[in-house]
Amino acid sequence: MSIVSENIKHLRKLKNWTQGDFAEKIDIKRSLVGAYEEGRADPRLNNLLNMSKVFKVPVDFLISKDLSSLSEEQILKLSAPRKPYSKVLSITVDKNNEELIDLIPQKASAGYLNGYADPEYLEELPKFQLPNLPKSGTYRAFEITGDSMLPLRPGTIVIGKYLEDVTDIKNGRCYVILSKEEGVVYKRVFDYTLENGKLFLVSDNKAYSPYDIPVSDVIEIWEAKAYLSMDLPDYSDDTMDFEQLKSIVLDLQQEVIKLKDHHPRLN
């Protein structure tokens, strides 16, 4: 069964409606409700809109988010107006009115918690542009600390795209989170705001335990889109060294000479 089928059946039962009750409320035949709930038919847009009204659930949640494990109280939160987690996003632009990418170095990350909305603070930060980033978003760069997100090492610069709503989080993706208690952190994020009003943060380095933070503490969310690193891979420990490489090249040259000796046409 599809998500929408499960959602329709679950929401109807939470309301204690029979299939006939529900069919009457959205002005369709009872048999069609059965077809929807059993996955034998998909609701048309006008019927989805009517369902959205009687269930008080947005259409996009009805068709794309699994609601079958949520209580009626949790589902009612979907109908409440969703306030953005951040009220102000200051940006800087160049002389051509093109947005610049502000860089938050390690030493400035603590001050960013207080200055994120202050244009004068942002004006003092280093800035740069990347030619290949889509123009559809606002970007900011953060120099990460610690080894919790290996193989990205301390000093790596993560470039994030600003998220306007916490519901845009894609579970398991990497984000830079600015929060009241934690400041700037770079983690994999899982959205549990509907279940308990929190975000679940996970490190790639298993030595660090996952933890959660209240979404009410979140100030900014930046989806990781690229990274810059000055830490070039060192192959000396786990691959061949220069002398080994030179020996292989010499062996290949000898093989070529032998091949030419046995096949004069190659000369």
Side-chain angles (χ1 to χ4, degrees):
M1 294 176 68
S2 65
I3 288 179
V4 67
S5 300
E6 293 283 0
N7 285 343
I8 292 171
K9 186 175 182 178
H10 179 63
L11 293 169
R12 177 182 62 78
K13 289 185 174 181
L14 284 178
K15 296 290 187 181
N16 293 317
W17 296 336
T18 66
Q19 288 186 346
D21 294 335
F22 180 50
E24 185 177 346
K25 290 180 182 295
I26 61 173
D27 195 24
I28 62 173
K29 295 180 179 180
R30 190 210 60 77
S31 59
L32 193 53
V33 173
Y36 291 160
E37 292 187 357
E38 294 168 14
R40 292 183 285 107
D42 294 322
R44 293 183 177 180
L45 179 58
N46 62 317
N47 288 337
L48 283 170
L49 291 172
N50 289 334
M51 291 178 191
S52 174
K53 290 177 182 178
V54 299
F55 287 142
K56 295 183 171 59
V57 174
V59 170
D60 59 331
F61 281 85
L62 192 61
I63 64 177
S64 63
K65 194 171 186 70
D66 185 3
L67 308 175
S68 61
S69 62
L70 302 182
S71 68
E72 187 168 15
E73 181 181 358
Q74 291 170 329
I75 292 170
L76 284 173
K77 292 180 182 179
L78 295 173
S79 62
R82 302 186 67 85
K83 297 180 180 179
Y85 56 87
S86 180
K87 295 181 179 179
V88 178
L89 181 65
S90 297
I91 61 172
T92 53
V93 297
D94 63 14
K95 61 182 179 179
N96 297 319
N97 208 36
E98 295 284 340
E99 281 193 31
L100 297 170
I101 300 174
D102 294 309
L103 170 62
I104 319 302
Q106 291 181 7
K107 61 183 180 181
S109 60
Y112 184 68
L113 181 58
N114 296 318
Y116 66 92
D118 184 358
E120 293 184 2
Y121 171 83
L122 295 178
E123 188 65 32
E124 299 299 319
L125 293 172
K127 303 172 192 341
F128 63 97
Q129 289 179 318
L130 286 178
N132 295 328
L133 287 176
K135 301 294 184 180
S136 57
T138 293
Y139 299 89
R140 196 151 290 170
F142 300 84
E143 186 178 8
I144 65 174
T145 61
D147 61 353
S148 67
M149 292 299 284
L150 292 175
L152 294 191
R153 298 183 179 276
T156 299
I157 295 171
V158 174
I159 300 166
K161 179 181 178 181
Y162 182 69
L163 252 61
E164 295 183 352
D165 197 301
V166 69
T167 60
D168 292 330
I169 287 176
K170 302 176 182 67
N171 285 340
R173 298 278 185 90
C174 292
Y175 296 86
V176 175
I177 305 288
L178 175 66
S179 67
K180 297 173 186 176
E181 294 296 324
E182 297 292 328
V184 177
V185 296
Y186 175 61
K187 302 289 181 184
R188 293 193 184 276
V189 180
F190 295 82
D191 176 18
Y192 291 104
T193 54
L194 285 178
E195 291 81 354
N196 56 24
K198 295 181 179 181
L199 297 180
F200 193 61
L201 276 55
V202 180
S203 300
D204 283 349
N205 185 345
K206 301 308 178 184
Y208 292 82
S209 300
Y211 62 95
D212 54 41
I213 58 173
V215 73
S216 57
D217 284 351
V218 175
I219 300 170
E220 291 178 354
I221 303 175
W222 301 83
E223 183 181 3
K225 292 295 186 181
Y227 71 88
L228 304 173
S229 177
M230 300 297 289
D231 187 14
L232 295 175
D234 183 3
Y235 297 106
S236 60
D237 293 333
D238 52 7
T239 59
M240 68 186 71
D241 59 22
F242 177 73
E243 291 302 321
Q244 289 175 308
L245 182 61
K246 185 170 68 173
S247 175
I248 290 174
V249 172
L250 290 175
D251 288 343
L252 287 173
Q253 289 175 338
Q254 291 301 317
E255 290 297 325
V256 171
I257 292 173
K258 291 179 182 178
L259 186 63
K260 287 184 177 181
D261 289 340
H262 286 87
H263 300 276
R265 290 184 180 180
L266 295 178
N267 292 308

